[in-house]
Amino acid sequence: MREEKISMLVKTIQDLTKAKESVDAENTKLITDISSLTETLQEYYTREERLSRREEDIKKREEALQTKITSLENEKYQMERAHEELNRFFVREREEHSRQLSDMETKFRDYEITIDIQAKKIIEHE
């Protein structure tokens, strides 16, 4: 009976040893899986950081472009106002020159009439 108990204890020890080896193998596999997942997670965080920096760079570029667009729109507006002012200036100048030319033509006609009258008077006195 003692041999039977010893045999059962040996069998139990062997079963426990196999179970321990199986658990150790499973633990090793889990540690490997955890290590692999940790690396994958680290790669993910690294990519996430790069993407975050890219997004920030893109936002900064967008803000810079928007500032440039606003500046160009303001410049365009100012150029349009200046163009309108130049057009008004040229219209005023053209009107002034037309008026001066009309005045000069009127004076010229008046001189012609005066010369004609004086010429007739001279001819009549001769």
Side-chain angles (χ1 to χ4, degrees):
M1 175 132 173
R2 190 175 165 164
E3 283 184 22
E4 216 174 270
K5 283 185 180 184
I6 291 174
S7 176
M8 279 179 31
L9 282 173
V10 169
K11 174 83 169 117
T12 302
I13 289 172
Q14 288 174 344
D15 288 346
L16 287 173
T17 302
K18 284 182 183 178
K20 182 186 178 300
E21 288 172 358
S22 177
V23 167
D24 286 346
E26 188 64 30
N27 282 345
T28 301
K29 184 179 181 302
L30 287 173
I31 288 170
T32 303
D33 289 348
I34 288 171
S35 177
S36 176
L37 287 173
T38 302
E39 286 178 26
T40 302
L41 190 59
Q42 186 59 43
E43 289 173 7
Y44 169 78
Y45 285 136
T46 301
R47 284 187 207 143
E48 190 67 28
E49 286 177 23
R50 271 190 259 131
L51 287 174
S52 179
R53 282 191 299 254
R54 283 184 190 162
E55 285 177 5
E56 289 175 17
D57 289 346
I58 289 170
K59 284 179 184 176
K60 288 178 184 175
R61 289 179 187 165
E62 285 176 343
E63 289 171 2
L65 286 173
Q66 188 58 47
T67 301
K68 184 67 174 174
I69 288 170
T70 302
S71 172
L72 289 172
E73 286 173 343
N74 288 338
E75 190 175 323
K76 177 185 173 194
Y77 177 79
Q78 291 173 355
M79 289 178 126
E80 287 172 347
R81 297 296 79 74
H83 184 259
E84 290 172 3
E85 186 60 34
L86 274 174
N87 280 341
R88 285 191 292 273
F89 172 77
F90 287 129
V91 166
R92 285 191 306 270
E93 285 295 308
R94 189 171 36 245
E95 289 171 351
E96 177 64 21
H97 289 155
S98 292
R99 187 187 58 73
Q100 287 176 355
L101 182 61
S102 176
D103 289 349
M104 289 172 75
E105 287 173 344
T106 302
K107 284 180 183 177
F108 183 73
R109 272 186 255 122
D110 289 348
Y111 289 140
E112 282 182 328
I113 292 171
T114 303
I115 290 171
D116 285 346
I117 291 172
Q118 287 179 355
K120 284 181 185 177
K121 285 182 182 176
I122 290 173
I123 291 174
E124 287 175 4
H125 285 352
E126 285 182 5

